[in-house]
Amino acid sequence: MRRTLLAVLFMLAWTGLALADDKELRIFTWSEYMDEPKMSADFEAATGIKVKIDVYESNEDMIAKLQAGGVSQYDIIVPSSYVLPTLNGLNLIQPLDHAKIPNLGNVMEQFRTMEMDKGNAYTVPWQWGTVGIMYNKQKVSPEAASSWSVIFDPAKHPGSFWLLDDARTTMNAALAYLGFPMNTTDPAQIKKAADLLTVVKNSKGCSGFKTGVGGKNDVVAGTADLAVVFNGDAIRDVEEAPDKFGFLVPKEGGEVWVDLMAIPAKAPNPDAAHKWINWILEPKVGAELSNYNRYATPNQAALPYILPEDLKNREIYPDDETMTRLHYVVDLGAATRLYDEAWTWVKSH
């Protein structure tokens, strides 16, 4: 009888924990990517589900955490589009249930037909943007910052600068400067880009590599003259001090990227994850997200609620001419190994 009572009490306690878990959503995302306190509170008010957020600074860190057990700890992740084949290949994410995402129709057509996930079988777009150079106007001229040569030509280096600690993004910047196609699979071209990066990394002006918002923060603090950054990370500070800071996409071209929402394969609360995705796709919520982080929205229905000055800002929504110089990072299959080896060489020499 005592065993039966203990068993019942255990089951009741376990059920209570399970119900408690049903009221919590765990998100693993990039730092400074949304107004965490407000959006968490708003989502809880709309659904009754509490939000807990952990952050990472690179796709590689995110994947490593998932492989180390995070796949069963988080309900939402925000990977970049080019790592989607890796996530699928490692069985780290699960298919989406479109019946639970009625707002999916709000997604712009261009983001519903992306080659890496046509029809949004596994992902829904979060935000998109570009990579460029944030610079201190007192130390670097707009003319200098308009070319990758300010990074890759030692004769044009400012006092100090940071490279972005992202293998494909930084390799592609070097390739663009050298006049090679981004996403090339030519071993000779990849080697030349790696050799160039190694020289630059060891140059007097280079402070090294920083992830996420680190380089931007140093430019703002005055400890670096420029940094390779994601556009949204720079724009908020540029607008607060337009006479002091600037941001430009170099004339040689560069990267346009898309970050996605996905649900880990063993997510503890996939129903809450679907509710989060659908909620983010609400027009006003999607606009609030972009109005805060200053990245472009992939949500067509959100556009009427985007700040008018942001819609006109070509650093957020590039014009057609700029878009012709930008390229998505794509999965290269077996050729990805060439970039991994090149990046390892750069970091170790």
Side-chain angles (χ1 to χ4, degrees):
M1 184 68 182
R2 180 176 173 82
R3 289 181 180 177
T4 301
L5 178 60
L6 287 173
V8 170
L9 290 173
F10 174 78
M11 288 301 295
L12 287 172
W14 184 90
T15 301
L17 287 172
L19 290 173
D21 288 343
D22 288 343
K23 293 300 181 180
E24 181 178 87
L25 176 75
R26 298 196 63 186
I27 299 175
F28 197 30
T29 184
W30 302 84
S31 64
E32 298 186 25
Y33 216 178
M34 62 179 174
D35 187 345
E36 295 179 11
K38 186 178 187 306
M39 296 199 78
S40 297
D42 289 349
F43 181 70
E44 183 178 358
T47 64
I49 300 171
K50 293 182 180 294
V51 177
K52 182 177 180 180
I53 297 174
D54 289 337
V55 299
Y56 53 85
E57 299 294 348
S58 72
N59 285 294
E60 291 76 16
D61 288 346
M62 178 266 296
I63 292 173
K65 182 68 176 287
L66 292 181
Q67 290 181 295
V71 70
S72 60
Q73 297 173 5
Y74 296 107
D75 303 300
I76 289 285
I77 56 173
V78 186
S80 299
S81 59
Y82 74 90
V83 302
L84 182 57
T86 299
L87 292 169
N88 270 324
L90 294 172
N91 297 314
L92 293 175
I93 57 176
Q94 61 179 272
L96 299 177
D97 183 348
H98 286 191
K100 296 179 179 179
I101 315 175
N103 287 330
L104 190 60
N106 290 342
V107 175
M108 294 175 182
E109 179 67 20
Q110 70 198 75
F111 299 109
R112 285 189 276 141
T113 56
M114 294 187 298
E115 188 65 32
M116 74 287 293
D117 189 24
K118 286 186 177 179
N120 304 108
Y122 287 87
T123 66
V124 170
W126 169 260
Q127 299 282 263
W128 67 276
T130 60
V131 175
I133 294 173
M134 181 180 179
Y135 60 100
N136 183 325
K137 289 184 175 180
Q138 277 70 54
K139 301 292 184 65
V140 182
S141 70
E143 291 75 22
S146 68
S147 170
W148 284 120
S149 63
V150 76
I151 293 286
F152 296 114
D153 182 350
K156 297 182 179 180
H157 284 173
S160 62
F161 63 92
W162 285 101
L163 296 167
L164 188 62
D165 196 3
D166 183 288
R168 291 293 302 278
T169 296
T170 302
M171 285 289 294
N172 277 324
L175 289 166
Y177 170 72
L178 291 169
F180 298 142
M182 287 177 56
N183 304 303
T184 182
T185 58
D186 183 330
Q189 293 178 346
I190 294 171
K191 183 180 184 304
K192 287 181 179 179
D195 289 343
L196 174 61
L197 276 170
T198 303
V199 171
V200 170
K201 184 195 85 166
N202 291 295
S203 64
K204 182 179 179 181
C206 185
S207 299
F209 298 88
K210 277 206 172 180
T211 56
V213 298
K216 178 269 295 185
N217 289 341
D218 279 1
V219 174
V220 172
T223 56
D225 297 332
L226 61 80
V228 182
V229 300
F230 299 110
N231 61 324
D233 290 341
I235 286 167
R236 279 175 283 173
D237 291 292
V238 169
E239 291 189 346
E240 289 178 7
D243 294 332
K244 189 171 183 179
F245 305 115
F247 172 84
L248 289 169
V249 175
K251 61 186 179 183
E252 297 91 348
E255 177 182 329
V256 57
W257 51 264
V258 184
D259 284 345
L260 312 164
M261 292 179 283
I263 303 176
K266 298 179 182 179
N269 199 349
D271 284 340
H274 281 88
K275 289 178 181 178
W276 171 265
I277 292 172
N278 193 62
W279 182 73
I280 289 294
L281 291 177
E282 288 285 344
K284 290 184 178 180
V285 175
E288 180 184 348
L289 174 65
S290 289
N291 289 339
Y292 172 80
N293 63 32
R294 317 310 294 278
Y295 288 111
T297 182
N299 186 338
Q300 184 70 39
L303 289 177
Y305 305 100
I306 296 293
L307 296 171
E309 57 267 31
D310 280 5
L311 286 176
K312 298 175 183 177
N313 189 334
R314 293 301 170 239
E315 294 170 356
I316 301 175
Y317 295 89
D319 58 23
D320 291 342
E321 188 279 327
T322 301
M323 288 300 294
T324 63
R325 296 184 277 118
L326 301 176
H327 305 275
Y328 288 100
V329 177
V330 300
D331 177 62
L332 298 174
T336 299
R337 174 183 57 81
L338 298 174
Y339 284 85
D340 293 340
E341 292 173 351
W343 190 245
T344 298
W345 173 268
V346 171
K347 284 298 199 72
S348 61
H349 287 78

